[in-house]
Amino acid sequence: MELRSYDASGLSSEHALVSRFLLVLVGLAAVGVHTLLFALDVTLGSPRRIVYPYSPVAVLRFISVCKAMGLVIPLMAGVWLVGSGREGGSCGNVAALALGARKRFLGGVLFGVGYAGLVIWTLVGNPVGWAEHQFNMVSPSQDGAFLIEARSIDSVGAYLRAYPELARRDSDRLRGLRVLSNTPGISLLAYSVRMLNDWLPGFFDRMERGVLGDEADVDDPNREIAEGACMVAALTALWGMSIVFAYGLARLWWTPMTAVVVAVACVFTPSSVIFSPGKDPAQLFTTLGMLYFWFRGCRGADPASALGARKGAWACAAAGAASVVGAMVGLVHVWIAGIGLVATVWSMGLSWERQRTLLVRCVSPAVVGAVIVAVFAYLLWGWSIPATVVATARRYLEVQHDVLISPFHHNLMGGGIFVLLLGPAFWMLSVMGVVRRSRDEAGRLGRCVVVVTGAVMLCTYVFAQNAEVARLWVVFIPLLVWGAALLALSPGTESPRRRAVLTAVLACQLVGTMSQWSMMDARGTEDRVLSGRYFDD
């Protein structure tokens, strides 16, 4: 049987062709490997360090996935309409233009409804329900550590000023490393969640009744349940909204349909869905926001760009400010900012004129934006952000015990699990990029982004807890996917053949991600909830 094929560039038939059928097989290979490991009950992780268990209710999770397919259909239809709606825009008559605009609007609505539904599904689709989320929000080794920390905050200013000293606390007293390994941003988010009831009297009572229903005790409400539910909702919302910045970043290079597919591939990945709600997926909001402003500013700094130098400078200043705010959420933002800067410089080559333009119009405004935020924080709270970053980084290195263990192959398991949870879209785009062999400016940038990101990941793998990179590296996945997309997809108008390929990539990403979610209980909470042993060994 003859296999239909697609053009890797989407623009010219002169490029090499790859079978769409084979491309789908490549995308779903990781899902197939994961399914095989699940069927054979092969342990994911190192028993000496950390294990990511399979779900004891995988069948119920799979049923939940089947039900959620009702949300995938309108999302896919919306993306297709966004792409096909541009056909009318190329025609000269008013009726065709109006039809294209209506298609794009309807497509945007369908996509928004489908995507919002999937984000909510990740929150409520677990068969164990809110019991699992609630356990995570009270566990000191999970994100509940931030809520526990928030209950000790009496004054935000005093807490921030004392944070360099607080970072030296004994990890045994805190019963975990979650707080000590991070800057205070998520603890402040948890504090804001706790203050909701003061700002909106009675809010926690309504939240508890919404979570527990008839089991809620009206006379003696449980504040911890309401706080946990609000924190879960906040973390999920931040992760879900990160697609706005992912789309904005992709839109700098591609037309709407391509940008939507790349954005979904950056945000809705097996790793982010499995570990959501949580701090690490929520960080996609700040990391993608920082990257969006930086690259929008860099493109605006180009004299030939329609954005103009002034708008580019403002965007870079926003990127600098976002990098400081992000660093207060997690130190990984420093790495992400470094990747963006190095990849940009490298992709521009040895041209002194371009490097000087980058320094004057991009780097300088970014530094000014970062300094403004740091000075503002010092004037408002007397808080030294640089001292906080240095103290947290030092403490993080101190608490990383036994980074390398024996036997040696146990050190490779964390990376293997991360590769397993990258998502089908990355592999499909990577194959397309290899076939296309891009030599244009976007391709050079994509190649630089992938190489620099890989180098940073290798560095953090050697000097940090490599067993947990499946969770810790969630924020690196958008860089890898976006870099691969720059190599695979040239900027330009979508052809029907290219739309078909993008549809296949999106379908594989959604179905593959949800399938892998159905097999995992990565935090090991389902077994605890079902057995009722919770914190007992």
Side-chain angles (χ1 to χ4, degrees), residues 130 196 202-213 225-230 233:
W130 280 95
L196 278 176
F203 179 79
F204 279 1
D205 294 344
R206 293 190 295 272
M207 180 62 73
E208 183 184 0
R209 287 195 296 271
V211 172
L212 298 181
I225 291 177
E227 289 176 355
C230 290

Side-chain angles (χ1 to χ4, degrees), residues 155-164 166 184-185 188 328 381-384 388:
S155 167
V156 171
Y159 176 73
L160 293 175
R161 288 190 296 272
Y163 198 81
L166 294 175
L188 293 181
M328 292 303 97
W381 295 301
W383 174 33
S384 173
T388 298

Side-chain angles (χ1 to χ4, degrees), residues 28 93 140 174 255 276 357 418 431 443 468 524-525:
L28 295 181
N93 63 79
L174 294 177
T255 50
S276 182
T357 300
F418 171 78
V431 170
E468 298 187 62
T525 52

Side-chain angles (χ1 to χ4, degrees), residues 92-111:
N93 63 79
V94 176
L97 290 171
L99 178 61
R102 286 196 295 270
K103 282 185 176 182
R104 292 194 297 273
F105 176 77
L106 178 60
V109 171
L110 287 175
F111 173 80

Side-chain angles (χ1 to χ4, degrees), residues 115 118-123 130 133 230-242 276-278 281-282:
Y115 177 75
L118 283 179
V119 171
I120 295 173
W121 168 78
T122 65
L123 194 60
W130 280 95
H133 299 319
C230 290
M231 188 66 176
V232 162
L235 292 173
T236 303
L238 287 172
W239 166 62
M241 290 188 299
S242 66
S276 182

Side-chain angles (χ1 to χ4, degrees), residues 178-200:
R178 206 80 169 110
V179 172
L180 296 180
S181 300
N182 291 278
T183 41
I186 299 298
S187 296
L188 293 181
L189 174 64
Y191 176 80
S192 300
V193 164
R194 296 194 70 244
M195 295 299 293
L196 278 176
N197 202 53
D198 295 337
W199 300 332
L200 302 171

Side-chain angles (χ1 to χ4, degrees), residues 42-52 405-407 409-411 413 417 467:
V42 176
T43 301
L44 296 183
S46 171
R48 291 189 54 191
R49 184 170 288 173
I50 186 172
V51 172
Y52 298 100
I405 60 176
S406 57
H409 69 272
H410 280 204
N411 297 289
M413 291 184 178
I417 297 171

